[in-house]
Each structure stands twice: as C-alpha cells, then as structure tokens.
Amino acid sequence: MSPEQADARVGDHAAWEALLTSLEQDAAGQTADPTAVAGWSEPVGLGPVPRELVGRASRLLAAQRDRMAVLEADRRSTLEHLGALRAVDATREPRGSVYLDASA
C-alpha cells in the first residue's frame, strides 16, 4: 500500500468514526441542535465502511430500528387517543340554540 493510500484509508476511517459518533449521539438524543437531524443528508465520498467499524455500524442500525419501532407504537397510541377524544366530542350536546325561530 502506498503512503497516499494509507493516508486516504486513515482519513476514511476517521470520517466514518466521526459520522458514526454523530449518528449515535442523534439516536441517543444528545444532539446539541435537534433541528439538525431533520436536515441530515447521506454523506458522499466516504467509501465502504471500514471492516473494524462494521460491528459499530450494525449496532447503530439496530438501535435506530428499535427507536423507529418505539416511535411507531407511540404514533399509533396517539392516534387512538385522538380518536377517543373525537368520539367524546361527538357525543356532547350543543350548548347554544339549535333552532332559530324566524317567524316570531
């Protein structure tokens, strides 16, 4: 391996470590700016995940999938609660007049 290739590999490894650290912090809710997650886009030019970081990336993927499942369950629960609230509102009688006597 040439010195340039070794430098590139070290740079790729460091870039992947920084990316994984950032994603792990986002997944743990430790991001300094919560709105930054919404603006995230896939990084380009990183190349394949270095072999020694594959396990870490796999654990991060599993944690993200677990979090997505929790969020989906919370979403469903919220929708059920909203449905129950709407059902209660539908059974309430109007407080004001329902009819207007226009002939009097």
Side-chain angles (χ1 to χ4, degrees):
M1 178 182 310
S2 72
E4 293 83 19
Q5 289 173 323
D7 287 345
R9 182 172 176 173
V10 169
D12 287 350
H13 192 278
W16 269 107
E17 281 189 330
L19 176 64
L20 290 174
T21 298
S22 173
L23 292 173
E24 288 164 346
Q25 289 172 344
D26 290 346
Q30 299 171 348
T31 301
D33 180 10
T35 59
V37 176
W40 187 85
S41 60
E42 181 180 351
V44 293
L46 282 181
V49 178
R51 182 177 298 138
E52 53 275 3
L53 296 178
V54 169
R56 183 176 171 190
S58 295
R59 287 187 298 277
L60 175 61
L61 179 60
Q64 289 174 331
R65 286 182 177 155
D66 290 345
R67 183 67 180 135
M68 286 171 49
V70 168
L71 289 172
E72 179 59 24
D74 289 348
R75 185 188 72 83
R76 274 191 243 113
S77 176
T78 300
L79 288 174
E80 289 173 9
H81 289 154
L82 286 172
L85 287 172
R86 287 185 185 116
V88 169
D89 283 341
T91 62
R92 290 188 181 158
E93 292 190 29
R95 298 199 180 262
S97 299
V98 176
Y99 302 102
L100 175 64
D101 185 1
S103 64

Coordinates of all heavy atoms in Angstrom, one line a residue:
M1 N 0.9 -1.2 0.0 CA 0.0 0.0 0.0 C 0.9 1.2 0.0 O 1.8 1.3 0.8 CB -0.9 0.0 1.3 CG -1.8 1.1 1.4 SD -2.8 1.2 2.9 CE -3.6 -0.4 2.9
S2 N 0.6 2.2 -0.9 CA 1.4 3.4 -1.0 C 1.1 4.3 0.2 O 0.0 4.2 0.8 CB 1.1 4.1 -2.3 OG -0.2 4.7 -2.3
P3 N 2.0 5.2 0.5 CA 1.7 6.2 1.6 C 0.4 7.0 1.3 O -0.3 7.3 2.3 CB 2.9 7.1 1.6 CG 4.0 6.3 0.9 CD 3.3 5.4 0.0
E4 N 0.1 7.3 0.1 CA -1.1 8.0 -0.2 C -2.4 7.2 0.1 O -3.4 7.7 0.6 CB -1.2 8.5 -1.7 CG -0.1 9.5 -2.1 CD 1.3 8.9 -2.4 OE1 1.3 7.6 -2.7 OE2 2.3 9.6 -2.4
Q5 N -2.3 5.9 -0.3 CA -3.4 5.0 0.0 C -3.6 4.9 1.5 O -4.7 4.8 2.0 CB -3.2 3.7 -0.6 CG -3.3 3.7 -2.1 CD -3.0 2.3 -2.7 OE1 -2.0 1.7 -2.3 NE2 -3.7 2.0 -3.8
A6 N -2.5 4.8 2.3 CA -2.6 4.6 3.7 C -3.2 5.9 4.3 O -4.0 5.8 5.2 CB -1.2 4.4 4.3
D7 N -2.8 7.1 3.8 CA -3.3 8.3 4.3 C -4.8 8.4 4.0 O -5.6 8.8 4.9 CB -2.6 9.5 3.7 CG -1.2 9.7 4.3 OD1 -0.9 9.1 5.3 OD2 -0.5 10.5 3.6
A8 N -5.2 8.0 2.8 CA -6.6 8.0 2.5 C -7.4 7.1 3.4 O -8.5 7.4 3.8 CB -6.8 7.6 1.0
R9 N -6.8 5.9 3.6 CA -7.6 4.9 4.5 C -7.7 5.5 5.9 O -8.8 5.3 6.5 CB -6.8 3.6 4.5 CG -7.5 2.6 5.3 CD -6.9 1.2 5.2 NE -7.7 0.4 6.1 CZ -7.5 -0.9 6.2 NH1 -6.7 -1.5 5.4 NH2 -8.2 -1.6 7.1
V10 N -6.7 6.1 6.4 CA -6.8 6.7 7.8 C -7.8 7.8 7.8 O -8.7 7.9 8.7 CB -5.4 7.2 8.2 CG1 -5.5 8.1 9.5 CG2 -4.5 6.1 8.5
G11 N -7.9 8.6 6.7 CA -8.9 9.7 6.6 C -10.3 9.1 6.5 O -11.2 9.7 7.1
D12 N -10.5 8.1 5.7 CA -11.8 7.4 5.6 C -12.2 6.9 7.0 O -13.4 7.0 7.4 CB -11.8 6.3 4.6 CG -11.7 6.8 3.1 OD1 -11.9 8.0 2.9 OD2 -11.5 6.0 2.2
H13 N -11.3 6.2 7.7 CA -11.6 5.6 9.0 C -12.0 6.7 9.9 O -13.0 6.6 10.6 CB -10.4 4.9 9.5 CG -10.7 4.0 10.7 ND1 -10.8 4.5 12.0 CD2 -11.0 2.7 10.8 CE1 -11.1 3.6 12.8 NE2 -11.2 2.4 12.1
A14 N -11.3 7.8 10.0 CA -11.6 9.0 10.9 C -13.0 9.6 10.5 O -13.8 9.9 11.3 CB -10.5 10.0 10.8
A15 N -13.2 9.7 9.2 CA -14.5 10.2 8.7 C -15.7 9.3 9.1 O -16.7 9.8 9.6 CB -14.5 10.5 7.2
W16 N -15.5 8.0 9.0 CA -16.5 7.1 9.4 C -16.7 7.1 10.9 O -17.9 7.1 11.4 CB -16.2 5.7 8.9 CG -16.7 5.4 7.6 CD1 -16.0 5.3 6.4 CD2 -18.1 5.1 7.3 NE1 -16.9 5.0 5.4 CE2 -18.2 4.9 5.9 CE3 -19.3 5.1 8.0 CZ2 -19.4 4.7 5.2 CZ3 -20.5 4.9 7.3 CH2 -20.5 4.6 6.0
E17 N -15.6 7.2 11.7 CA -15.8 7.3 13.1 C -16.6 8.6 13.5 O -17.4 8.5 14.4 CB -14.4 7.3 13.8 CG -13.8 5.9 13.9 CD -12.6 5.9 14.8 OE1 -11.8 6.9 14.8 OE2 -12.3 4.8 15.4
A18 N -16.2 9.7 12.9 CA -17.0 10.9 13.2 C -18.4 10.8 12.8 O -19.3 11.2 13.6 CB -16.3 12.1 12.4
L19 N -18.7 10.2 11.7 CA -20.1 10.1 11.3 C -20.9 9.1 12.2 O -22.0 9.5 12.7 CB -20.2 9.5 9.8 CG -21.6 9.2 9.3 CD1 -22.4 10.5 9.2 CD2 -21.5 8.5 8.0
L20 N -20.3 8.0 12.6 CA -20.9 7.1 13.5 C -21.2 7.7 14.9 O -22.2 7.6 15.5 CB -20.1 5.8 13.6 CG -20.1 4.9 12.4 CD1 -19.2 3.7 12.6 CD2 -21.5 4.4 12.0
T21 N -20.2 8.5 15.3 CA -20.3 9.2 16.6 C -21.5 10.2 16.6 O -22.3 10.2 17.5 CB -19.0 9.9 17.0 OG1 -18.0 8.9 17.1 CG2 -19.2 10.7 18.3
S22 N -21.6 10.9 15.5 CA -22.7 11.9 15.3 C -24.0 11.2 15.3 O -25.0 11.6 15.9 CB -22.4 12.7 14.0 OG -23.5 13.5 13.7
L23 N -24.1 10.1 14.5 CA -25.4 9.3 14.4 C -25.8 8.7 15.8 O -26.9 8.7 16.1 CB -25.3 8.3 13.3 CG -25.2 8.8 11.9 CD1 -24.9 7.7 10.9 CD2 -26.5 9.5 11.5
E24 N -24.8 8.2 16.5 CA -25.0 7.6 17.8 C -25.5 8.7 18.8 O -26.5 8.4 19.5 CB -23.8 7.0 18.4 CG -23.4 5.7 17.7 CD -22.0 5.2 17.9 OE1 -21.2 6.0 18.4 OE2 -21.7 4.1 17.6
Q25 N -25.0 9.9 18.7 CA -25.4 11.0 19.6 C -26.9 11.4 19.2 O -27.7 11.6 20.1 CB -24.5 12.2 19.5 CG -23.2 11.9 20.1 CD -22.2 13.0 19.9 OE1 -22.3 13.9 19.0 NE2 -21.1 13.1 20.7
D26 N -27.2 11.4 17.9 CA -28.5 11.7 17.4 C -29.5 10.7 17.9 O -30.6 11.0 18.4 CB -28.6 11.8 15.9 CG -27.8 13.0 15.3 OD1 -27.5 13.9 16.1 OD2 -27.6 13.0 14.1
A27 N -29.1 9.4 17.8 CA -30.0 8.3 18.3 C -30.2 8.4 19.8 O -31.3 8.0 20.2 CB -29.4 7.0 17.8
A28 N -29.2 8.8 20.5 CA -29.4 8.9 22.0 C -30.0 10.2 22.4 O -30.2 10.4 23.6 CB -28.0 8.7 22.6
G29 N -30.3 11.1 21.5 CA -30.9 12.4 21.9 C -29.9 13.3 22.5 O -30.3 14.2 23.2
Q30 N -28.7 13.2 22.1 CA -27.6 14.0 22.7 C -27.2 15.1 21.7 O -26.1 15.7 21.9 CB -26.4 13.2 23.1 CG -26.8 12.2 24.2 CD -25.6 11.2 24.4 OE1 -24.7 11.2 23.7 NE2 -25.7 10.5 25.5
T31 N -27.9 15.4 20.7 CA -27.6 16.3 19.7 C -27.7 17.7 20.2 O -28.7 18.0 20.9 CB -28.4 16.2 18.4 OG1 -28.2 14.9 17.9 CG2 -28.0 17.2 17.3
A32 N -26.8 18.6 20.0 CA -26.8 20.0 20.5 C -28.0 20.7 19.8 O -28.6 21.5 20.4 CB -25.5 20.7 20.3
D33 N -28.2 20.4 18.5 CA -29.2 21.1 17.8 C -30.2 20.1 17.2 O -29.9 19.5 16.2 CB -28.6 21.9 16.6 CG -29.6 22.6 15.8 OD1 -30.8 22.7 16.2 OD2 -29.3 23.2 14.7
P34 N -31.4 19.9 17.9 CA -32.3 18.9 17.5 C -32.8 19.1 16.1 O -33.2 18.1 15.4 CB -33.5 18.9 18.5 CG -33.0 19.9 19.5 CD -31.8 20.6 19.1
T35 N -32.8 20.3 15.6 CA -33.3 20.5 14.2 C -32.3 20.1 13.2 O -32.7 19.9 12.0 CB -33.7 22.0 14.0 OG1 -32.5 22.8 14.2 CG2 -34.7 22.5 14.9
A36 N -31.1 19.9 13.6 CA -30.0 19.4 12.6 C -30.3 18.0 12.1 O -30.0 17.7 11.0 CB -28.7 19.5 13.3
V37 N -31.0 17.2 12.9 CA -31.3 15.9 12.4 C -32.2 15.9 11.3 O -32.1 15.1 10.3 CB -31.9 15.0 13.6 CG1 -32.3 13.7 13.1 CG2 -30.9 14.9 14.7
A38 N -33.2 16.8 11.3 CA -34.2 16.9 10.2 C -33.5 17.3 8.9 O -34.0 16.9 7.8 CB -35.3 17.9 10.5
G39 N -32.4 18.0 8.9 CA -31.7 18.4 7.7 C -30.6 17.5 7.3 O -29.8 17.8 6.4
W40 N -30.5 16.3 7.9 CA -29.5 15.4 7.6 C -29.6 14.8 6.2 O -30.7 14.6 5.7 CB -29.5 14.2 8.6 CG -28.3 13.3 8.4 CD1 -27.1 13.5 9.0 CD2 -28.2 12.1 7.7 NE1 -26.3 12.4 8.7 CE2 -26.9 11.5 7.9 CE3 -29.1 11.4 6.9 CZ2 -26.5 10.4 7.3 CZ3 -28.7 10.2 6.3 CH2 -27.4 9.7 6.5
S41 N -28.5 14.7 5.5 CA -28.5 14.0 4.2 C -27.3 13.0 4.2 O -26.3 13.2 4.9 CB -28.3 15.0 3.1 OG -27.1 15.8 3.2
E42 N -27.4 12.1 3.3 CA -26.5 11.0 3.2 C -25.1 11.5 2.9 O -25.0 12.3 1.9 CB -26.9 10.0 2.2 CG -26.0 8.8 2.0 CD -26.5 7.8 1.0 OE1 -27.6 8.0 0.5 OE2 -25.7 6.9 0.6
P43 N -24.0 11.2 3.6 CA -22.7 11.7 3.2 C -22.2 11.0 1.9 O -22.6 9.9 1.6 CB -21.8 11.2 4.4 CG -22.6 10.1 5.1 CD -24.0 10.3 4.8
V44 N -21.4 11.8 1.2 CA -20.9 11.3 0.0 C -19.4 11.2 0.1 O -18.7 11.9 0.9 CB -21.3 12.2 -1.2 CG1 -22.8 12.1 -1.5 CG2 -20.9 13.6 -1.0
G45 N -18.8 10.3 -0.7 CA -17.3 10.2 -0.7 C -16.7 9.5 0.4 O -15.5 9.6 0.5
L46 N -17.4 8.8 1.2 CA -16.8 8.1 2.3 C -16.2 6.7 1.9 O -15.3 6.2 2.6 CB -17.8 7.9 3.5 CG -18.1 9.0 4.4 CD1 -19.1 8.7 5.5 CD2 -16.8 9.6 5.0
G47 N -16.8 6.1 0.9 CA -16.4 4.8 0.6 C -17.0 3.8 1.5 O -17.9 4.1 2.3
P48 N -16.6 2.5 1.4 CA -17.2 1.5 2.2 C -16.8 1.6 3.7 O -15.8 2.2 4.0 CB -16.6 0.2 1.6 CG -15.4 0.6 0.9 CD -15.6 2.0 0.5
V49 N -17.7 1.1 4.5 CA -17.4 1.1 6.0 C -16.2 0.3 6.2 O -16.1 -0.9 5.8 CB -18.6 0.5 6.8 CG1 -18.3 0.5 8.3 CG2 -19.9 1.3 6.5
P50 N -15.2 0.9 7.0 CA -14.0 0.1 7.3 C -14.4 -1.2 8.1 O -15.3 -1.1 8.9 CB -13.2 1.0 8.2 CG -13.6 2.4 7.8 CD -15.1 2.2 7.4
R51 N -13.7 -2.3 7.8 CA -14.1 -3.6 8.4 C -14.2 -3.5 10.0 O -15.1 -4.1 10.6 CB -13.0 -4.6 8.0 CG -13.3 -6.0 8.6 CD -12.3 -7.0 8.1 NE -12.4 -7.1 6.6 CZ -11.3 -7.2 5.9 NH1 -10.1 -7.2 6.4 NH2 -11.5 -7.3 4.5
E52 N -13.3 -2.8 10.6 CA -13.3 -2.7 12.0 C -14.4 -1.8 12.6 O -14.7 -1.9 13.8 CB -11.9 -2.2 12.6 CG -11.4 -0.9 12.0 CD -10.7 -1.1 10.7 OE1 -10.5 -2.2 10.1 OE2 -10.2 0.0 10.2
L53 N -15.2 -1.1 11.8 CA -16.3 -0.3 12.2 C -17.6 -1.0 11.8 O -18.7 -0.4 12.2 CB -16.2 1.1 11.6 CG -15.0 1.9 12.1 CD1 -15.0 3.3 11.4 CD2 -15.0 2.1 13.6
V54 N -17.6 -2.1 11.2 CA -18.9 -2.7 10.7 C -19.8 -3.1 11.9 O -21.0 -2.9 11.9 CB -18.6 -4.0 9.8 CG1 -19.8 -4.8 9.6 CG2 -18.0 -3.5 8.5
G55 N -19.2 -3.6 13.0 CA -19.9 -4.0 14.2 C -20.6 -2.8 14.8 O -21.8 -2.9 15.2
R56 N -19.9 -1.7 14.9 CA -20.4 -0.5 15.5 C -21.6 0.0 14.6 O -22.6 0.4 15.1 CB -19.3 0.5 15.6 CG -19.7 1.8 16.2 CD -18.5 2.8 16.4 NE -18.9 4.1 16.8 CZ -18.1 5.1 16.8 NH1 -16.9 5.0 16.4 NH2 -18.6 6.3 17.2
A57 N -21.4 0.0 13.3 CA -22.4 0.5 12.4 C -23.7 -0.4 12.5 O -24.8 0.0 12.5 CB -21.9 0.5 11.0
S58 N -23.5 -1.7 12.6 CA -24.6 -2.7 12.8 C -25.4 -2.4 14.0 O -26.6 -2.5 14.1 CB -24.1 -4.1 12.7 OG -23.5 -4.4 11.5
R59 N -24.6 -2.2 15.1 CA -25.3 -1.9 16.4 C -26.1 -0.6 16.3 O -27.2 -0.5 16.8 CB -24.3 -1.8 17.6 CG -23.8 -3.2 18.0 CD -22.9 -3.1 19.2 NE -21.7 -2.3 19.0 CZ -20.6 -2.7 18.5 NH1 -20.5 -3.9 18.0 NH2 -19.5 -1.8 18.4
L60 N -25.6 0.4 15.6 CA -26.3 1.7 15.4 C -27.5 1.4 14.6 O -28.6 2.0 14.9 CB -25.4 2.7 14.8 CG -26.0 4.0 14.4 CD1 -26.5 4.7 15.6 CD2 -25.0 4.9 13.6
L61 N -27.4 0.7 13.6 CA -28.6 0.4 12.7 C -29.7 -0.3 13.6 O -30.9 0.0 13.5 CB -28.2 -0.5 11.5 CG -29.3 -0.9 10.6 CD1 -30.0 0.3 10.0 CD2 -28.8 -1.8 9.5
A62 N -29.3 -1.3 14.4 CA -30.3 -2.0 15.2 C -30.9 -1.0 16.2 O -32.1 -1.1 16.4 CB -29.6 -3.1 16.0
A63 N -30.1 -0.1 16.8 CA -30.7 0.9 17.7 C -31.6 1.8 17.0 O -32.7 2.2 17.6 CB -29.5 1.7 18.4
Q64 N -31.3 2.2 15.8 CA -32.2 3.1 15.0 C -33.5 2.3 14.7 O -34.6 2.9 14.8 CB -31.5 3.6 13.7 CG -30.4 4.6 14.0 CD -29.7 4.9 12.8 OE1 -29.5 4.1 11.8 NE2 -29.1 6.1 12.7
R65 N -33.4 1.1 14.3 CA -34.7 0.3 14.0 C -35.5 0.2 15.3 O -36.7 0.3 15.2 CB -34.3 -1.1 13.5 CG -33.8 -1.0 12.1 CD -33.5 -2.3 11.5 NE -33.1 -2.2 10.1 CZ -32.3 -3.1 9.4 NH1 -31.9 -4.1 10.1 NH2 -32.0 -2.9 8.2
D66 N -34.9 -0.1 16.4 CA -35.6 -0.2 17.7 C -36.3 1.1 18.0 O -37.5 1.2 18.4 CB -34.7 -0.5 18.9 CG -34.2 -2.0 18.8 OD1 -34.7 -2.8 18.0 OD2 -33.2 -2.3 19.5
R67 N -35.6 2.2 17.8 CA -36.2 3.6 18.1 C -37.4 3.8 17.1 O -38.4 4.4 17.5 CB -35.1 4.6 17.9 CG -35.6 6.0 18.2 CD -36.0 6.2 19.7 NE -36.4 7.5 19.9 CZ -37.5 7.8 20.7 NH1 -38.1 6.9 21.3 NH2 -37.8 9.0 20.8
M68 N -37.2 3.4 15.9 CA -38.3 3.6 14.9 C -39.6 2.8 15.3 O -40.7 3.3 15.2 CB -37.9 3.2 13.5 CG -36.9 4.1 12.9 SD -36.2 3.6 11.3 CE -37.6 3.0 10.4
A69 N -39.4 1.6 15.9 CA -40.5 0.8 16.3 C -41.2 1.5 17.5 O -42.4 1.5 17.6 CB -40.0 -0.6 16.7
V70 N -40.4 2.1 18.4 CA -41.0 2.8 19.6 C -41.8 4.0 19.1 O -42.9 4.2 19.6 CB -39.9 3.2 20.6 CG1 -40.4 4.2 21.6 CG2 -39.3 2.0 21.3
L71 N -41.2 4.7 18.2 CA -41.9 5.9 17.6 C -43.2 5.5 16.9 O -44.2 6.2 17.0 CB -41.0 6.7 16.7 CG -39.8 7.4 17.3 CD1 -38.9 8.0 16.3 CD2 -40.3 8.5 18.2
E72 N -43.2 4.4 16.2 CA -44.4 4.0 15.5 C -45.4 3.6 16.5 O -46.6 3.9 16.3 CB -44.1 2.8 14.6 CG -45.3 2.3 13.8 CD -46.0 3.3 13.0 OE1 -45.4 4.3 12.5 OE2 -47.2 3.1 12.7
A73 N -45.1 2.9 17.6 CA -46.0 2.5 18.6 C -46.6 3.7 19.3 O -47.8 3.8 19.6 CB -45.3 1.6 19.7
D74 N -45.7 4.7 19.6 CA -46.2 6.0 20.2 C -47.2 6.7 19.2 O -48.2 7.3 19.7 CB -45.0 6.9 20.5 CG -44.2 6.4 21.7 OD1 -44.6 5.5 22.4 OD2 -43.1 7.0 21.9
R75 N -46.9 6.7 17.9 CA -47.8 7.3 16.9 C -49.1 6.7 16.9 O -50.2 7.3 16.9 CB -47.1 7.3 15.5 CG -47.9 8.0 14.5 CD -47.4 7.7 13.1 NE -47.6 6.4 12.6 CZ -48.8 6.0 12.1 NH1 -49.8 6.9 11.9 NH2 -49.0 4.8 11.7
R76 N -49.1 5.3 16.9 CA -50.4 4.6 16.9 C -51.2 4.9 18.2 O -52.4 5.1 18.2 CB -50.2 3.1 16.8 CG -50.1 2.7 15.4 CD -50.1 1.1 15.2 NE -48.8 0.7 14.7 CZ -47.9 0.0 15.3 NH1 -48.1 -0.4 16.5 NH2 -46.8 -0.3 14.7
S77 N -50.5 4.9 19.3 CA -51.2 5.2 20.6 C -51.8 6.6 20.6 O -52.9 6.8 21.1 CB -50.2 5.1 21.8 OG -50.8 5.4 23.0
T78 N -51.0 7.6 20.1 CA -51.5 9.0 20.0 C -52.8 9.0 19.1 O -53.7 9.7 19.4 CB -50.4 9.9 19.4 OG1 -49.3 9.8 20.3 CG2 -50.9 11.3 19.3
L79 N -52.7 8.3 18.0 CA -53.9 8.3 17.1 C -55.1 7.7 17.8 O -56.2 8.2 17.6 CB -53.6 7.6 15.8 CG -52.6 8.3 14.8 CD1 -52.3 7.4 13.6 CD2 -53.3 9.6 14.3
E80 N -54.9 6.6 18.5 CA -56.0 6.0 19.3 C -56.6 7.0 20.3 O -57.8 7.1 20.5 CB -55.5 4.8 20.0 CG -55.3 3.6 19.1 CD -54.6 2.4 19.8 OE1 -54.6 2.4 21.0 OE2 -54.2 1.5 19.0
H81 N -55.7 7.8 21.0 CA -56.2 8.7 22.0 C -56.9 9.9 21.3 O -58.0 10.3 21.8 CB -55.0 9.3 22.8 CG -54.4 8.3 23.7 ND1 -53.1 8.4 24.2 CD2 -54.9 7.2 24.3 CE1 -52.9 7.4 25.0 NE2 -54.0 6.7 25.1
L82 N -56.4 10.3 20.2 CA -57.2 11.4 19.4 C -58.5 10.9 19.0 O -59.5 11.6 19.0 CB -56.3 11.8 18.2 CG -55.1 12.7 18.5 CD1 -54.3 12.9 17.3 CD2 -55.6 14.0 19.2
G83 N -58.6 9.6 18.5 CA -59.9 9.0 18.1 C -60.9 9.0 19.3 O -62.0 9.3 19.1
A84 N -60.4 8.6 20.5 CA -61.2 8.6 21.6 C -61.7 10.0 22.0 O -62.9 10.2 22.3 CB -60.5 7.9 22.8
L85 N -60.8 11.0 21.9 CA -61.3 12.3 22.2 C -62.3 12.8 21.2 O -63.3 13.5 21.6 CB -60.1 13.3 22.2 CG -59.1 13.1 23.4 CD1 -57.9 14.0 23.1 CD2 -59.8 13.5 24.7
R86 N -62.1 12.5 20.0 CA -63.1 12.9 18.9 C -64.4 12.2 19.2 O -65.5 12.8 19.0 CB -62.6 12.6 17.5 CG -61.5 13.5 17.1 CD -61.0 13.3 15.7 NE -59.9 14.1 15.4 CZ -58.7 13.6 15.1 NH1 -58.4 12.4 15.0 NH2 -57.7 14.5 14.8
A87 N -64.4 11.0 19.6 CA -65.7 10.2 19.9 C -66.4 10.9 21.1 O -67.6 11.0 21.1 CB -65.4 8.8 20.2
V88 N -65.7 11.3 22.1 CA -66.3 12.0 23.2 C -66.9 13.3 22.8 O -68.0 13.7 23.1 CB -65.3 12.3 24.4 CG1 -65.8 13.2 25.4 CG2 -64.9 10.9 25.0
D89 N -66.2 14.1 22.0 CA -66.7 15.4 21.5 C -67.9 15.2 20.7 O -68.9 16.0 20.7 CB -65.6 16.1 20.6 CG -64.6 16.8 21.5 OD1 -64.8 17.0 22.7 OD2 -63.5 17.1 21.0
A90 N -68.0 14.1 19.9 CA -69.2 13.8 19.1 C -70.4 13.5 19.9 O -71.5 13.7 19.4 CB -68.9 12.7 18.1
T91 N -70.3 13.1 21.1 CA -71.5 12.8 21.9 C -72.0 14.0 22.8 O -73.0 13.9 23.4 CB -71.1 11.6 22.9 OG1 -70.1 12.0 23.8 CG2 -70.7 10.4 22.2
R92 N -71.2 15.0 22.8 CA -71.7 16.2 23.6 C -72.8 16.9 22.9 O -72.9 17.1 21.7 CB -70.5 17.2 23.7 CG -69.4 16.7 24.6 CD -68.4 17.7 24.9 NE -67.4 17.2 25.8 CZ -66.2 17.6 25.9 NH1 -65.8 18.7 25.2 NH2 -65.3 17.1 26.7
E93 N -73.7 17.4 23.7 CA -74.9 18.1 23.1 C -74.4 19.6 22.9 O -73.6 20.1 23.7 CB -76.0 18.1 24.1 CG -76.6 16.7 24.2 CD -78.0 16.7 24.9 OE1 -78.6 17.7 24.9 OE2 -78.3 15.7 25.5
P94 N -75.0 20.2 21.9 CA -74.6 21.6 21.7 C -75.0 22.5 22.9 O -76.0 22.3 23.5 CB -75.4 22.0 20.4 CG -75.9 20.7 19.9 CD -75.9 19.7 20.9
R95 N -74.2 23.5 23.2 CA -74.5 24.4 24.3 C -75.4 25.5 23.9 O -76.1 26.1 24.7 CB -73.2 24.9 24.9 CG -72.4 23.8 25.4 CD -71.4 24.3 26.4 NE -70.5 23.3 26.9 CZ -70.7 22.7 28.1 NH1 -71.7 23.0 28.8 NH2 -69.9 21.7 28.5
G96 N -75.4 25.9 22.6 CA -76.2 27.0 22.2 C -77.5 26.5 21.6 O -77.9 25.3 21.5
S97 N -78.3 27.5 21.1 CA -79.6 27.1 20.4 C -79.3 26.4 19.1 O -78.4 26.7 18.4 CB -80.3 28.4 20.1 OG -80.6 29.1 21.2
V98 N -80.2 25.4 18.9 CA -80.0 24.6 17.7 C -81.0 25.2 16.6 O -80.7 25.1 15.5 CB -80.3 23.1 18.0 CG1 -80.3 22.3 16.7 CG2 -79.4 22.6 19.0
Y99 N -82.1 25.7 17.1 CA -83.1 26.2 16.2 C -83.3 27.7 16.3 O -83.2 28.3 17.4 CB -84.5 25.6 16.4 CG -84.5 24.1 16.3 CD1 -84.4 23.3 17.4 CD2 -84.5 23.5 15.1 CE1 -84.3 21.9 17.3 CE2 -84.4 22.1 15.0 CZ -84.4 21.3 16.1 OH -84.3 20.0 16.0
L100 N -83.6 28.4 15.2 CA -83.8 29.8 15.2 C -85.2 30.0 14.8 O -85.7 29.6 13.8 CB -82.8 30.5 14.2 CG -83.1 32.0 14.0 CD1 -82.8 32.7 15.3 CD2 -82.2 32.5 12.9
D101 N -86.0 30.7 15.7 CA -87.4 31.0 15.4 C -87.5 32.3 14.6 O -87.4 33.4 15.1 CB -88.2 31.1 16.7 CG -89.7 31.3 16.5 OD1 -90.1 31.3 15.3 OD2 -90.4 31.4 17.5
A102 N -87.5 32.1 13.3 CA -87.6 33.3 12.4 C -89.0 33.8 12.2 O -89.1 34.9 11.7 CB -87.0 32.9 11.0
S103 N -90.0 33.1 12.7 CA -91.4 33.6 12.5 C -91.9 34.5 13.6 O -92.9 35.1 13.5 CB -92.3 32.4 12.3 OG -92.4 31.6 13.5
A104 N -91.2 34.6 14.7 CA -91.7 35.4 15.8 C -91.5 36.8 15.8 O -90.9 37.5 15.1 CB -91.1 34.8 17.1

